[in-house]
Amino acid sequence: MKSNCENFRYVEKVRPHRDLTFKFYRDGRLVIIDNDTEEVIKPSDLRGDSRDFYVRRRIAFIKNQLAESQLKYA
């Protein structure tokens, strides 16, 4: 059985070097947590390399969801 969400940890390469956890839930929800402050961050607050990481992971997540749906209904 697949898990309810996929977790990814990312540490920014430029200041302020935030340590972030991205949680992609199977129902499409997303939670981004700053591990140092335990604060939830909105995708619009991401900049630079962390935004690029988010976009790439989101695209991969969507592609996987589409592939699973195609296999399910094929």
Side-chain angles (χ1 to χ4, degrees):
M1 183 174 159
K2 292 197 174 195
S3 84
N4 193 27
C5 75
E6 294 182 38
N7 295 315
F8 298 96
R9 184 173 178 201
Y10 186 79
V11 179
E12 293 179 326
K13 296 174 185 166
V14 295
R15 289 189 187 260
H17 302 289
R18 293 183 295 187
D19 180 5
L20 305 172
T21 297
F22 293 79
K23 294 184 176 191
F24 292 92
Y25 291 90
R26 293 188 54 77
D27 64 1
R29 290 182 299 130
L30 167 71
V31 176
I32 305 170
I33 301 170
D34 183 333
N35 294 320
D36 295 329
T37 63
E38 298 293 322
E39 180 181 348
V40 175
I41 298 173
K42 297 181 287 187
S44 60
D45 293 335
L46 298 174
R47 298 286 182 260
D49 60 325
S50 59
R51 184 173 186 88
D52 185 56
F53 175 81
Y54 159 70
V55 169
R56 289 177 189 271
R57 291 306 322 162
R58 186 61 147 182
I59 290 170
F61 179 79
I62 291 169
K63 283 182 179 180
N64 287 338
Q65 291 290 87
L66 288 172
E68 287 178 13
S69 293
Q70 286 177 334
L71 290 175
K72 184 178 179 180
Y73 296 109

